[in-house]
Amino acid sequence: MSLALLRELEPVVETNLNRHFATAKEWFPHEYVPWSQGEDFDGVLGGRAWEPGQSKLSDVARTSLIVNLLTEDNLPSYHHEIATMFGRDGAWGTWVHRWTAEEGRHGIAIRDYLLTTRAVDPVELERARMTHMGAGFETDHPDSTLHGIAYVSFQELATRVAHRNTGRISEDLVCDQLLQKIAADENLHMLFYRNLLAASFELSPDDTMRAIRDVVLEFQMPGHGIENFGRKAVQIAMAGIYDLRIHHDEVVLPILRQLNIMGREDLSGTGNAYRDELAAFMTELDRNATRFEERRAAIQARRNA
Ligand SMILES: [Fe+2]
Ligand SMILES: [Fe+2]
C-alpha cells in the first residue's frame, strides 16, 4: 500500500517540487542577526557571564523562542522519520533533502539571534537541547505514509503560526522580521504537504480520511517532548501565541476546508464514519477553545483588578 502510494504520488511531488523551487526565495540567516550587539561569554574567552537582566525579551517571549528553537533543533530525528517514510530517491529524495536544508536554517538563525542578543541563558539552552535531542522524535504512525503526510500538513501550519505570533509578541523588530521569514518557509512547506494530501484523497479517499481523523484527534506539537513542555505550552497559550482557539481556527479548520472534507462525495460508508468522528471532534475542540478563552479572560480580569 505504502510503496504503491509513494510511486503514485511521485509525479505530484515532482510538480510541487518545481512549484516550490519557483516560489521559495533565497534568504540568508546572517542578515537577521544584530552581530554588533554580540559579546564574549565567560569560560574559555573570559568574557561576561549571562545574567537575566541582559535579556530584553519578556519571560513568555523567551519561553516561546526556546520552544521554537528546540523544536527546530530536533531536525535530525525529523529527517530520519521522513527519509524513512518517503525514501531518498527521485523526486521524494530531492524534496526530503531540500526540506531538511531549509529547516536547518531555522535553528541556525534563531540560535544566532538569541545568543548574540543575550536573550536566553546559553548554558540552560545547551542543556535543554542535549536533553531534548537525546529523547529524539518518533511519528505516531511510522508505517503509514498517509498519516505522515497528514501530520506534516498540520504541523507545518502550526509551526508557521507559532513562529509568526512569537515574533509579534517579542516587541523586537529584528526578532519579528526573522520569525516572519521563517514562518514564510513553514507556509511553503505546508502548501507542499497539503497538496500531496489533496492528491492522496483522489487516489484513496477512505484511507486518507482515516489518516486525517487520526492525526487531528491525536495532534501534538512537534516539540511536545521538550522538558516541562506542559508548563511552557500553558504560558504560550495564555499569551495567545498558540492556544486551542488558534489551533482550531487557524490551523485545523483551514486545511479541512481547503480539502473540502465536509463536501466530499467520494467516501464509502467507512470513510463517512471517519468523517463523522472528525466532525464531532471539531465541535468539541471548538467548545474547549471557547472554554479556554473564557477562563483566560477571567484570569486576566482578576490580574488587572
Ligand atoms: Fe522550521
Ligand atoms: Fe517547516
Side-chain angles (χ1 to χ4, degrees), residues 208-218 273-274 277-278:
T208 306
M209 193 60 230
R210 184 180 53 172
I212 292 174
R213 177 206 61 178
D214 290 345
V215 162
V216 171
L217 266 65
E218 299 162 3
Y274 298 142
E277 283 176 61
L278 178 63

Side-chain angles (χ1 to χ4, degrees), residues 137 270 278:
F137 173 90
T270 351
L278 178 63

Side-chain angles (χ1 to χ4, degrees), residues 72 95 99 102-103 106 152 155-157 159-160 163 182-183 185-190 193:
E72 298 285 354
W95 169 256
W99 174 88
E102 291 186 7
E103 292 292 358
H106 301 166
V152 289
Q155 167 269 317
E156 292 287 355
L157 187 50
T159 46
R160 176 209 184 182
H163 284 307
I182 294 175
D185 281 356
E186 310 296 21
N187 193 48
L188 288 182
H189 297 161
M190 180 276 290
Y193 291 127

